[in-house]
């Protein structure tokens, strides 16, 4: 046996697997529609939602199903997942293309393709809600989304995605929201919009994460939105660069959401942007960037302030993954938090105008009823309170803990008004309203 033959045997023995969670959206876990040992193609539907909030899940690789079982999820503990072993052929289903789609075709394509926003909401459900949509906004101020998806070669596709959303929603106008100091992106969008009379550009001072959707809508439109509502209640469809690209691909090329662009930064040898198949492990993505440079101390998904610290690098990339940050063991802070000194810095920087330090103190004492009275659910989890705290208090972690406890205590009696998602071990990143005694809290 030659060296080449040995290499081929080893390659077969370690064929890559993808672990595709059946929960990548706001809603209930999808039901698998494939069985163990089933052969699947790239783009084939493998999971179907069973309520109005869920979206289908598709295979990102060609191969055969080796297991359907609980696997670690980057956000929700462990969820049922479909494990597929690649056959290395990249065979696909037949994708249906379109050059001039109608409104009905766009909506149907989004239903079948399973496109979700960075906060987990289904674009199809947003478009088919009974809310009247007047404006489509695409948030290009979130750094993780911009670095991953706003390369110069993607600008035209993002604008096409915006136009498809405007057509599908019957909106009268659209706008791109860009950070004021990002002159290169502003110039690129301006160049692409030279014939688009109904699409404008607005600039903002700060970085708006997906959880800050209501605050961003208020800054642009002047309409205040309570935390129990969404921008749709103000007639605004708020999307992202990654979703605009996914919309364009789903509608014009017929390709479901099976890949995402992910920026990898921090303690890796070759930081950069990678186009990653859904279900690929975080470790594989990091290995594609040359691996860890030194001993990793922490891995954070989707933002240094508002992101999620991962317990392991074996969790998969999901539809809402846009940024992976690796911190070395030397970079991870191990400071012992001190007492609150009543400086009110956390209050000064809080975009939701709540009292983060006071809420954290009540949460630390287990007084979650007091946290509720202080509007803990209005927290958008931006992380600014932690950044400015001179006592290094774990303010955001305590607020998230209180949200978790309240979520477990409150009863979801009106299922028609809740998302139906009860699978999270942590508070819903999309801040889905709590339901108690038939009313939104």
């Amino acid at each position: 046996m030659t060296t080449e033959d040995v290499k081929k045997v080893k390659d077969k023995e370690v064929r890559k697997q993808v672990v595709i969670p059946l929960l990548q959206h706001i809603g209930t876990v999808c039901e698998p529609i494939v069985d163990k040992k089933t052969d699947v193609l790239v783009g084939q539907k493998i999971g179907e939602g069973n309520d109005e909030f869920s979206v289908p899940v598709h295979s990102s690789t060609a191969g055969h199903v080796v297991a359907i079982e609980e696997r670690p999820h980057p956000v929700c503990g462990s969820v049922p997942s479909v494990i597929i072993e690649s056959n290395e052929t990249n065979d696909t289903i037949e994708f249906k293309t379109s050059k001039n789609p109608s409104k009905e075709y766009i909506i149907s394509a989004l239903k079948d393709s399973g496109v979700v926003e960075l906060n987990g909401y289904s674009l199809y459900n947003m478009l088919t809600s009974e809310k009247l949509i007047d404006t489509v906004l695409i948030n290009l101020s979130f750094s993780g989304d911009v670095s991953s998806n706003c390369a110069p070669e993607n600008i035209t596709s993002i604008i096409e995605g915006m136009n498809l959303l405007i057509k599908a929603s019957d909106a009268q106008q659209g706008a791109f929201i860009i950070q004021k100091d990002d002159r290169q992106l502003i110039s690129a969008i301006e160049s692409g919009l030279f014939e688009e009379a109904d699409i404008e550009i607005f600039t903002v001072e700060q970085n708006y994460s997906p959880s800050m959707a209501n605050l961003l809508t208020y800054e642009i439109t002047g309409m205040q939105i309570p935390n129990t509502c969404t921008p749709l209640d103000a007639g605004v469809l708020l999307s992202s660069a990654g979703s605009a690209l996914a919309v364009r691909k789903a509608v014009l090329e017929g390709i479901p959401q099976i890949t995402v662009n992910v920026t990898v930064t921090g303690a890796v040898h070759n930081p950069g942007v990678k186009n990653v198949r859904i279900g690929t492990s975080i470790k594989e993505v990091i290995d594609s960037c040359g691996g860890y440079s030194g001993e990793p101390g922490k891995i954070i998904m989707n933002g240094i302030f508002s992101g999620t610290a991962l317990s392991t690098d074996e969790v998969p990339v999901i539809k809402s993954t846009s940024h992976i940050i690796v911190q070395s063991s030397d970079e991870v802070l191990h400071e012992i938090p001190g007492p609150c000194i009543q400086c009110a810095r956390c209050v000064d920087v809080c975009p939701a105008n709540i009292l983060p330090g006071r809420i954290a103190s009540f949460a630390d004492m287990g007084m979650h009823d007091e946290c509720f009275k202080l509007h803990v659910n209005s927290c958008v989890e931006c992380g600014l309170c932690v950044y400015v705290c001179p006592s290094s208090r774990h303010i955001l972690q305590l607020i998230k803990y209180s949200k978790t406890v309240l979520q477990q205590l409150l009863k979801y009696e009106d299922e028609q008004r809740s998302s139906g998602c009860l699978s999270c071990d942590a508070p819903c990143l999309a801040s889905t309203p709590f339901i108690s005694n038939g009313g939104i809290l």
Side-chain angles (χ1 to χ4, degrees):
M1 182 179 287
T2 65
T3 303
E4 186 65 27
D5 291 333
V6 172
K7 183 178 182 299
K8 289 180 179 179
V9 171
K10 288 185 177 179
D11 287 343
K12 290 181 180 179
E13 289 175 351
V14 293
R15 277 183 177 174
K16 291 184 178 179
Q17 292 184 348
V18 292
V19 178
I20 303 179
L22 292 171
L23 179 66
Q24 301 182 51
H25 51 267
I26 299 301
T28 55
V29 178
C30 287
E31 293 291 334
I33 57 175
V34 292
D35 299 317
K36 185 177 179 180
K37 297 185 179 179
T38 301
D39 290 328
V40 296
L41 301 174
V42 175
Q44 181 177 330
K45 189 182 296 185
I46 59 174
E48 188 73 82
N50 53 15
D51 66 21
E52 61 180 305
F53 299 99
S54 300
V55 298
V57 176
H58 304 79
S59 174
S60 60
T61 191
H64 67 277
V65 178
V66 296
I68 302 175
E69 60 190 25
E70 296 263 337
R71 286 292 184 93
H73 189 281
V75 179
C76 301
S78 294
V79 301
S81 305
V82 179
I83 297 89
I84 303 171
E85 184 177 273
S86 173
N87 62 15
E88 303 172 6
T89 65
N90 209 35
D91 292 333
T92 71
I93 62 171
E94 184 177 350
F95 297 129
K96 184 179 179 181
T97 62
S98 176
K99 291 184 178 180
N100 186 26
S102 64
K103 170 186 175 180
E104 293 73 22
Y105 182 92
I106 297 171
I107 293 175
S108 176
L110 292 179
K111 178 181 180 181
D112 293 336
S113 62
V115 177
V116 299
E117 283 296 335
L118 293 178
N119 57 14
Y121 279 110
S122 161
L123 264 175
Y124 166 75
N125 289 329
M126 294 165 69
L127 289 169
T128 55
S129 71
E130 296 181 355
K131 310 291 184 182
L132 179 64
I133 298 174
D134 176 73
T135 304
V136 174
L137 300 179
I138 292 187
N139 177 19
L140 301 185
S141 72
F142 180 46
S143 58
D145 184 38
V146 170
S147 62
S148 297
N149 297 298
C150 291
E153 62 269 20
N154 289 338
I155 299 300
T156 299
S157 295
I158 291 172
I159 295 173
E160 288 178 340
M162 161 74 93
N163 282 317
L164 290 170
L165 288 174
I166 291 175
K167 188 173 185 178
S169 63
D170 289 326
Q172 300 300 309
Q173 56 192 344
F176 288 101
I177 317 302
I178 308 174
Q179 276 196 293
K180 191 175 183 178
D181 57 358
D182 195 345
R183 301 307 309 173
Q184 183 176 355
L185 181 56
I186 293 172
S187 176
I189 295 293
E190 284 177 341
S191 299
L193 291 178
F194 69 97
E195 291 182 350
E196 304 289 346
D198 297 327
I199 302 178
E200 300 181 67
I201 295 176
F202 289 96
T203 59
V204 292
E205 296 286 347
Q206 68 181 86
N207 181 337
Y208 282 92
S209 67
S211 62
M212 301 170 73
N214 288 1
L215 296 174
L216 176 57
T217 302
Y218 170 68
E219 175 161 344
I220 301 302
T221 67
M223 290 182 282
Q224 291 188 336
I225 306 171
N227 72 304
T228 54
C229 300
T230 70
L232 282 178
D233 294 287
V236 174
L237 175 65
L238 183 59
S239 188
S240 61
S243 295
L245 290 174
V247 167
R248 189 237 176 237
K249 188 174 288 187
V251 176
L252 302 185
E253 300 179 39
I255 302 175
Q257 192 170 15
I258 53 177
T259 63
V260 288
N261 293 324
V262 179
T263 299
V264 184
T265 59
V268 296
H269 286 291
N270 301 305
V273 179
K274 300 291 182 180
N275 184 254
V276 182
R277 297 176 188 262
I278 300 294
T280 303
S281 72
I282 298 294
K283 184 179 186 304
E284 285 186 59
V285 180
I286 292 172
D287 286 344
S288 71
C289 294
Y292 298 109
S293 58
E295 183 68 25
K298 182 183 288 186
I299 304 173
I300 305 171
M301 185 179 82
N302 292 352
I304 195 72
F305 287 136
S306 57
T308 302
L310 304 178
S311 59
T312 172
D313 59 8
E314 293 298 334
V315 296
V317 168
I318 59 176
K319 295 178 182 180
S320 58
T321 304
S322 63
H323 194 185
I324 297 171
I325 304 165
V326 180
Q327 292 183 330
S328 67
S329 56
D330 294 335
E331 293 176 301
V332 179
L333 298 178
H334 298 285
E335 295 181 7
I336 298 176
C340 176
I341 61 174
Q342 308 294 325
C343 66
R345 293 184 187 179
C346 59
V347 178
D348 292 338
V349 300
C350 178
N353 295 319
I354 59 175
L355 306 175
R358 181 70 60 83
I359 294 172
S361 295
F362 281 130
D364 202 21
M365 293 184 288
M367 300 174 65
H368 303 290
D369 54 339
E370 296 298 324
C371 296
F372 182 79
K373 292 176 184 177
L374 291 175
H375 308 288
V376 63
N377 295 330
S378 294
C379 173
V380 296
E381 301 179 12
C382 64
L384 292 175
C385 53
V386 179
Y387 182 71
V388 301
C389 180
S391 297
S392 302
R393 299 181 70 211
H394 300 153
I395 299 175
L396 182 55
Q397 289 89 333
L398 287 166
I399 288 177
K400 287 184 176 182
Y401 168 62
S402 185
K403 283 185 174 184
T404 301
V405 173
L406 287 170
Q407 187 175 36
Q408 293 169 347
L409 292 175
L410 295 173
K411 296 180 180 179
Y412 290 71
E413 294 188 0
D414 187 351
E415 293 183 355
Q416 296 301 315
R417 300 180 68 187
S418 78
S419 72
C421 178
L422 301 175
S423 60
C424 292
D425 291 334
C428 177
L429 294 181
S431 301
T432 299
F434 292 136
I435 305 294
S436 179
N437 297 324
I440 295 182
L441 299 176

